[in-house]
């Protein structure tokens, strides 16, 4: 069934806070893995920090399109372009550590930690957009129907 019935439930606000805290925890764990891939003495290279740029850029296209256009049941060209750009940004975040490993700037262990961090961070971003999809501007949380 639909989750819309939960909107009137007394514990809804608490469930939203729990979800937000859980997402913050997983996002922080992902960032920690990236920092560990850089800071551990056996790796000793800060090149994997370049994945922070895609972390910042990834939510921008979809956020802008959701803010500027009216979302309907049918797909729009603007939304499809935003998804395409977001996909390219996410793929580049996974490609950066692979290329850095290939040119011997970072070790395989640093690449593995960075990839694990990528998975956690982008999964967190995806779940944030799924769980806290807001259709109005009063900053109220709503669960997707």
């Amino acid at each position: 069934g639909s989750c819309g019935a939960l909107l009137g439930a007394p514990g809804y606000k608490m469930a939203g806070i729990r979800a937000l805290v859980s997402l913050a925890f997983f996002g922080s764990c992902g960032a920690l893995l990236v920092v560990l891939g850089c800071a551990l003495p056996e790796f000793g290279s800060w090149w994997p920090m370049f994945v922070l740029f895609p972390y910042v850029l990834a939510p921008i296209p979809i956020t802008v399109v959701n803010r500027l256009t009216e979302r309907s049941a049918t797909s729009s060209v603007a939304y499809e372009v935003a998804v395409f750009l977001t996909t390219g940004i996410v793929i580049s975040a996974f490609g950066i550590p692979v290329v850095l490993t290939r040119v011997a700037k970072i070790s395989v262990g640093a690449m593995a930690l960075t990839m694990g961090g990528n998975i956690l961070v982008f999964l967190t971003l995806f779940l944030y957009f799924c769980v806290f999809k807001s259709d109005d501007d009063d900053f109220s949380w709503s669960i997707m129907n």
Side-chain angles (χ1 to χ4, degrees), residues 20-81:
L20 186 62
V21 169
S22 298
L23 289 172
F25 174 75
F26 287 116
S28 298
C29 287
L32 175 68
L33 287 175
V34 172
V35 170
L36 284 175
C38 298
L40 288 177
E42 58 264 20
F43 302 139
S45 172
W46 288 91
W47 284 102
M49 289 300 259
F50 276 109
V51 298
L52 293 180
F53 293 116
Y55 291 172
V56 173
L57 295 175
I60 292 175
I62 292 180
T63 303
V64 168
V65 168
N66 283 341
R67 197 54 110 162
L68 296 179
T69 62
E70 185 66 32
R71 190 79 170 111
S72 63
T74 61
S75 183
S76 70
V77 172
Y79 186 75
E80 295 299 326
V81 169

Side-chain angles (χ1 to χ4, degrees), residues 75-129:
S75 183
S76 70
V77 172
Y79 186 75
E80 295 299 326
V81 169
V83 169
F84 177 77
L85 291 174
T86 301
T87 303
I89 292 168
V90 170
I91 289 173
S92 71
F94 284 96
I96 289 170
V98 172
V99 170
L100 289 174
T101 303
R102 183 78 177 132
V103 298
K105 289 291 184 186
I106 65 173
S107 67
V108 174
M111 180 190 71
L113 285 171
T114 305
M115 291 292 203
N118 281 346
I119 291 169
L120 283 176
V121 168
F122 288 122
L123 183 64
T124 301
L125 284 172
F126 175 74
L127 291 175
Y128 175 81
F129 278 111

